[in-house]
Amino acid sequence: MKTQLIGIDIDGTLVDDHNQVSTANKDAIKRAKQAGIKVVLCTGRPLKAISHVLEACDLTDAGDYAITYNGGLIQATDTGEIIQHIVLSQDDVVSLYNLSKTLDMPISLVGMEDVKVFQNHHDRPCLYYTINKWLSHHPFQFDDYTGQQVVNKMVIARPEAEIEEALKKIPEHYFEQFFIVKSRPNLLEFMPKTVNKGAALKLLGQQLGIVPEAMMGIGDMDNDLTMIEIVGKGVVMGQAPDYMKDVADYITKSNNESGVAHAIEQWALNML
């Protein structure tokens, strides 16, 4: 089946290790768009944090969409119109805050415009500010949480060894209640159970009249897994972990070798 939509992860996929989009990747995306293929960036970042990437890839016209917060938010990139928005409930926030205390790990609330950083680990702060530099980060006390704040996700950002140890200690019922994913070696994210990139792509496809079998998904980490599994052509980056490669239909070059361009040219444009 010909590819009608391509979902592309950003970090570790579209951008290289210096957070740059290569000329080859930009050109391939523009050629795909000109060929009538929808190109949708699918990321854990908010829309505000990918505006420069969207502009560089010519993905800000009417009819262009982005999936952000790992599938929690689907928006039109030209107007910001919201197609779907799934957030954590007040009970969810309280439950995850209590989990962070059990794990003895710092946790932060990620909203639409800012990050609220709980100040209960001065000796081991949440390092999310080093990862998400596009949103403002503010100290926050749990007693100030009213339930009125929009919380897209909660995150624990610490060195990889601490993240791995924390994952082992999370009770199973939390995995049943939430979508918990390590989106980077040093970042653990907690989202509503129904939130993931694959589900968001499927919903957007329904809006556009495109079935998953006519989609390509390109990614590299755990938070891309649902996208890779649901589409007709699941592509994993060359530097991705072996368990990601095991579920892929195709393996492309690394993010430092314009692997996105290679995938688009080989398994989308060459098959039109």
Side-chain angles (χ1 to χ4, degrees), residues 18-78:
H18 300 289
N19 202 35
Q20 300 297 311
V21 183
S22 70
T23 299
N25 283 349
K26 294 176 190 175
D27 290 346
I29 288 172
K30 292 175 183 177
R31 289 200 304 276
K33 184 175 175 179
Q34 290 167 359
I37 299 173
K38 288 284 185 184
V39 179
V40 181
L41 300 191
C42 305
T43 178
R45 300 187 194 183
L47 191 65
K48 182 178 180 179
I50 66 171
S51 59
H52 61 296
V53 181
L54 291 167
E55 290 171 3
C57 296
D58 191 27
L59 295 175
T60 58
D61 295 327
D64 287 330
Y65 299 90
I67 291 171
T68 56
Y69 292 107
N70 282 316
L73 190 59
I74 306 173
Q75 288 177 275
T77 61
D78 61 334

Side-chain angles (χ1 to χ4, degrees), residues 9-160:
D9 172 51
I10 294 180
D11 296 296
T13 301
L14 180 60
V15 299
D16 61 23
D17 290 348
H18 300 289
N19 202 35
Q20 300 297 311
V21 183
S22 70
T23 299
N25 283 349
K26 294 176 190 175
D27 290 346
I29 288 172
K30 292 175 183 177
R31 289 200 304 276
K33 184 175 175 179
Q34 290 167 359
I37 299 173
K38 288 284 185 184
V39 179
V40 181
L41 300 191
C42 305
T43 178
R45 300 187 194 183
L47 191 65
K48 182 178 180 179
I50 66 171
S51 59
H52 61 296
V53 181
L54 291 167
E55 290 171 3
C57 296
D58 191 27
L59 295 175
T60 58
D61 295 327
D64 287 330
Y65 299 90
I67 291 171
T68 56
Y69 292 107
N70 282 316
L73 190 59
I74 306 173
Q75 288 177 275
T77 61
D78 61 334
T79 63
E81 176 191 358
I82 293 175
I83 308 302
Q84 173 180 261
H85 192 191
I86 304 174
V87 299
L88 291 168
S89 70
Q90 183 173 359
D91 288 344
D92 290 339
V93 171
V94 172
S95 177
L96 290 170
Y97 176 75
N98 289 334
L99 173 64
S100 73
K101 291 198 297 183
T102 300
L103 298 175
D104 193 28
M105 292 286 275
I107 198 165
S108 296
L109 307 177
V110 183
M112 294 293 287
E113 297 293 336
D114 67 356
V115 179
K116 293 177 172 60
V117 185
F118 288 125
Q119 297 296 288
N120 56 339
H121 283 83
H122 295 288
D123 57 330
R124 289 190 300 118
C126 184
L127 301 177
Y128 192 54
Y129 70 93
T130 67
I131 297 172
N132 188 333
K133 301 178 182 180
W134 299 274
L135 297 183
S136 56
H137 297 249
H138 306 289
F140 193 69
Q141 299 297 330
F142 186 72
D143 290 343
D144 295 327
Y145 174 68
T146 64
Q148 300 303 308
Q149 297 91 342
V150 173
V151 181
N152 292 289
K153 61 183 178 180
M154 295 176 71
V155 298
I156 293 175
R158 289 293 299 167
E160 183 177 5

